[in-house]
Amino acid sequence: MDTARRRPIELIAIDMDGTLLDPGHKITPRVKDAIHTAIARGVRVVLASGRPVAGLLPYLAELGIAGNDEYCIAFNGAVVQNIGTGERVVEFTLGIEDYRYCAAIASELGVHFQGLDGERMYTPDLDISPYTVADSFLTHTPLSYRAVADMPEGMRFPKMMMIDQPAILDAAIARLPTGFAERFTSLKSSASFLDIFDGRAGKGPSLKRLADRLGIDRESIMALGDHENDIAMLEFAGTSVAMGNAIPAVKQAARYETATNAEDGVARAIEMFVLQS
């Protein structure tokens, strides 16, 4: 990977699942060491995930990212939060009518559905999907079954999801009604998850808003990711790195490719573009 004639990296934006975390959902020692060394050299590290903030906090704590001038990007960019103060400097949410509409579409298409309000995960499905249960566990988000008619007025949702077996989900995506894409942004964050959120959000747009707030030029940003919801972030960053396990569209969007998340790919990229520069 050629590192010549690039600006020094001031901010590293890192996707979580499939990127920062290994297949066992852990941060490997080599990745942790590389991030700690980068931070010690004054480089900002921002976790950018489809997860809710609660699903990022244990890993932020593990990495020692906790100050009043530190930020994370959650819910695919629907939220940018100051980690130390809890202030949300970016927040785009969908309303209860959006939830009802998407739940009805999911039911018609035969896929499971869930919505996150920032505190809990809600599903209208009596036969709760095992993917929903797993997502609740991995992101440290309490899960509730609640019929659509029982959802209170005024609820707001940073993210909603259609969620199912990959083949079933892909078939449903192909049948989404005309106008769905005009009302929402929807991107796959994994083979089994279709994330649905406000069109103003996204990892790329929210990374830009954060960079503007911090006074950091895009050419001084490195971004790493593996799935469809990372593409806008990779396209914005001056140094874009696809994981070796990334889907083909991500590898096409990124300028560089590193090793897989099972092979310390994040550490290798940081060592190459930050620590050896």
Side-chain angles (χ1 to χ4, degrees), residues 114-174:
Q114 62 197 43
L116 297 95
D117 71 348
E119 301 292 334
R120 301 188 70 85
M121 181 183 298
Y122 296 91
T123 179
D125 301 318
L126 277 171
D127 59 332
I128 298 177
S129 168
Y131 294 105
T132 294
V133 175
D135 192 33
S136 170
F137 175 78
L138 288 173
T139 62
H140 306 276
T141 307
L143 172 62
S144 295
Y145 160 75
R146 188 166 297 175
V148 173
D150 294 332
M151 297 289 283
E153 296 291 338
M155 291 188 72
R156 305 295 303 180
F157 303 89
K159 184 177 76 167
M160 299 180 294
M161 303 169 71
M162 293 184 189
I163 179 168
D164 223 299
Q165 298 177 38
I168 294 174
L169 182 62
D170 287 344
I173 292 171

Side-chain angles (χ1 to χ4, degrees), residues 187-260:
L187 295 167
K188 292 186 74 175
S189 58
S190 79
S192 300
F193 297 164
L194 178 71
D195 294 1
I196 303 162
F197 48 95
D198 187 292
R200 295 169 293 176
K203 291 187 183 183
S206 287
L207 179 58
K208 180 183 185 304
R209 293 183 181 96
L210 179 58
D212 290 344
R213 180 184 180 91
L214 298 174
I216 298 175
D217 187 87
R218 64 188 295 182
E219 293 302 321
S220 298
I221 296 174
M222 179 168 76
L224 302 98
D226 74 304
H227 223 282
E228 183 181 0
N229 60 332
D230 299 314
I231 290 175
M233 178 174 73
L234 294 171
E235 290 175 340
F236 172 74
T239 301
S240 54
V241 183
M243 301 298 293
N245 52 287
I247 63 172
V250 169
K251 292 183 178 181
Q252 184 175 2
R255 184 174 180 183
Y256 304 101
E257 182 177 337
T258 187
T260 71

Side-chain angles (χ1 to χ4, degrees), residues 81-113:
Q81 183 162 313
N82 182 300
I83 299 163
T85 67
E87 176 193 7
R88 291 190 168 183
V89 299
V90 173
E91 187 171 25
F92 297 118
T93 57
L94 301 170
I96 190 64
E97 288 302 324
D98 298 312
Y99 182 92
R100 291 168 181 155
Y101 173 79
C102 289
I105 296 298
S107 179
E108 291 174 10
L109 296 177
V111 293
H112 290 84
F113 178 75

